[in-house]
Amino acid sequence: MDDPEARLRDTLDSLASTVVPSPDAYARARTEWQRRDRRRRLVMLALAVLIVAVADVVGLWALHSLAEPDRTPRHERIDVIVQP
């Protein structure tokens, strides 16, 4: 009986000898990785800007809603007494 590891090694060696590597495989993989990294960074930037914008809008809305309403000017006569 043959050793299973030896048979597997022989099979993988014969398979590896038939594989022809692509000359630009590294360049394509690197370009793809850079594209994905750039996209990830842009998505994170967009999310950060969106979160800050939403926080600003909510904060401004809260400040506006908690502020005292402007009092309408009364049309009553106000006497000012000035002492000499």
Side-chain angles (χ1 to χ4, degrees):
M1 264 178 111
D2 233 356
D3 184 26
E5 287 183 26
R7 287 178 40 200
L8 180 60
R9 187 176 302 114
D10 292 339
T11 304
L12 290 177
D13 285 340
S14 66
L15 181 63
S17 65
T18 62
V19 173
V20 178
S22 175
D24 64 340
Y26 176 75
R28 281 188 288 125
R30 184 170 181 247
T31 303
E32 180 69 17
W33 174 80
Q34 286 176 337
R35 184 188 64 80
R36 287 183 182 182
D37 186 51
R38 192 171 33 251
R39 182 174 181 214
R40 180 185 57 85
R41 287 176 187 250
L42 285 173
V43 167
M44 285 297 146
L45 178 66
L47 283 175
V49 167
L50 181 67
I51 289 170
V52 169
V54 168
D56 284 346
V57 168
V58 168
L60 290 173
W61 173 80
L63 285 174
H64 179 70
S65 67
L66 296 177
E68 286 187 28
D70 293 337
R71 297 179 189 226
T72 56
R74 297 181 187 172
H75 296 292
E76 299 173 3
R77 183 176 167 192
I78 300 174
D79 293 329
V80 177
I81 300 173
V82 179
Q83 293 182 353

